[in-house]
Amino acid sequence: MKTIDRSMGLTQWVLLLVLSVLWGGSFFFVGVAVAELGPLTIVALRVGLAALALHALILLLGQRMPRDPRLWMAFFGMGLLNNMIPFSLIAWGQGHIASGLASILNATTPFFTIVVAHFLTRDEPLTPARLAGVAIGFGGVVYMLGAEVHEGAVSHSWAQLAVLAGALSYAFAGVFGRRFGALGCSPLVAACGQVTASALVLLPLALTVERFWQQPWPGLDTWAAVFGLALFSTTLAYLIYFRLLASAGATNLLLVTFLIPASAIVLGIFVLNERLEWRHLAGMGLIGLGLAAIDGRPLWWFRKMAYAYRKARREGAGR
């Protein structure tokens, strides 16, 4: 069995940064596409194109998709929780709020995951440190939502709640996805199966509900955003994600949650001309503090640096 390197080398750090840009870029791509396409159409194209790309990759690697009905039922369940629900809710939410704010709210996924895993699994209890992190993180969310409600921005409040509901769906997907290991399914096949199942449901739904062909034909920028969303933020991101999961472990992958809002905010401000309020940045700070409390490593790094500093001072004083 391959050993997981929890300290992470240079290659893994680079891949982690690339993954954060790809996932942060998804909020940018949706922010571009939502101006001319409906949320269901965006999501249907995203999973449909990603499914085609992943199927092509599986063929190139000489693998085959399974035919076991039980496995395909799991694919549809994972597709519902990990693609259909969150992608659609977040895309709809981005029609009303900035992509940077959506990425900040999406960073609450680990908090929801901890709570869901506590009640639905036996090996991930809610420890005091995790409970403190969840409380701090949700405090940031309440602060941002409370300001919107106080100012009467109802549509913005519903949009933020939609993104939070998407994050909750991701949390259930994280717990649900644990069964694929027991079913003997490789990560690449699992990724291909879930986006394929999602496409089979979303494509006819989008065609029936939104009928995008009856609207003005989208411009080149919109189509470029859709292809970027499907090929870079979904297909390539899945491949990097599963490589990191195998080599660095799920705990190290939590670090990507700290980094996604940074790239999404930068792209939103400098490319989409979006603007975030100070309360959004303050809320992001509380969410980041909550994630740090859960992960534990920032505190460990601080203690390590403090110890090294004290040691250097003692050695300097002894000369």
Side-chain angles (χ1 to χ4, degrees):
M1 186 190 306
K2 186 175 180 180
T3 302
I4 290 177
D5 182 9
R6 299 194 182 279
S7 62
M8 292 207 303
L10 177 61
T11 300
Q12 292 167 323
W13 276 109
V14 170
L15 288 175
L16 190 76
L17 289 172
V18 172
L19 182 61
S20 73
V21 173
L22 291 173
W23 277 345
S26 70
F27 294 92
F28 164 73
F29 289 135
V30 171
V32 173
V34 77
E36 294 189 293
L37 292 173
L40 285 177
T41 301
I42 293 171
V43 176
L45 290 171
R46 176 180 186 176
V47 295
L49 292 170
L52 291 175
L54 287 170
H55 274 288
L57 180 60
I58 285 176
L59 289 175
L60 287 174
L61 295 176
Q63 299 184 28
R64 292 183 179 181
M65 289 298 294
R67 297 182 179 181
D68 186 350
R70 295 181 307 158
L71 200 51
W72 276 99
M73 288 295 293
F75 287 154
F76 275 96
M78 190 66 175
L80 177 68
L81 295 172
N82 204 42
N83 297 326
M84 287 181 262
I85 292 176
F87 287 179
S88 301
L89 288 173
I90 292 170
W92 178 84
Q94 282 192 244
H96 302 275
I97 60 175
S99 58
L101 176 55
S103 70
I104 293 171
L105 294 168
N106 184 68
T108 59
T109 298
F111 304 132
F112 286 117
T113 303
I114 286 171
V115 175
V116 170
H118 173 75
F119 288 103
L120 298 184
T121 68
R122 296 181 179 180
D123 55 350
E124 295 191 43
L126 191 60
T127 64
R130 289 182 171 186
L131 181 60
V134 169
I136 294 170
F138 282 132
V141 173
V142 170
Y143 175 71
M144 289 188 292
L145 279 174
E148 299 284 359
V149 173
H150 179 72
E151 294 178 1
V154 178
S155 63
H156 287 190
S157 299
W158 280 112
Q160 292 186 51
L161 288 172
V163 177
L164 288 172
L168 176 60
S169 186
Y170 279 136
F172 279 103
V175 175
F176 184 87
R178 294 172 54 164
R179 68 189 60 202
F180 286 106
L183 292 172
C185 182
S186 72
L188 177 58
V189 170
C192 185
Q194 66 170 342
V195 294
T196 301
S198 302
L200 291 174
V201 174
L202 283 170
L203 285 170
L205 184 62
L207 290 172
T208 303
V209 175
E210 293 182 345
R211 302 181 182 183
F212 77 94
W213 67 87
Q214 296 180 352
Q215 307 298 324
W217 192 252
L220 182 60
D221 289 346
T222 297
W223 285 113
V226 168
F227 276 92
L229 182 65
L231 300 181
F232 294 109
S233 297
T234 307
T235 305
L236 181 58
Y238 266 134
L239 299 177
I240 294 175
Y241 171 82
F242 285 125
R243 177 175 175 179
L244 277 172
L245 187 63
S247 63
T251 302
N252 280 321
L253 270 177
L254 179 63
L255 290 171
V256 78
T257 312
F258 291 86
L259 304 173
I260 290 174
S263 56
I265 289 171
V266 168
L267 288 169
I269 291 175
F270 291 100
V271 182
L272 299 178
N273 296 318
E274 295 176 342
R275 185 172 62 91
L276 291 178
E277 304 291 342
W278 280 109
R279 64 174 177 268
H280 300 147
L281 299 178
M284 181 177 68
L286 287 173
I287 291 172
L289 184 61
L291 291 171
I294 291 170
D295 184 65
R297 269 174 296 190
L299 179 60
W300 179 81
W301 288 334
F302 176 77
R303 289 176 176 173
K304 186 177 180 180
M305 289 188 292
Y307 173 77
Y309 174 74
R310 290 194 300 268
K311 183 178 179 181
R313 288 196 62 181
R314 287 197 302 267
E315 292 176 350
R319 293 176 181 173

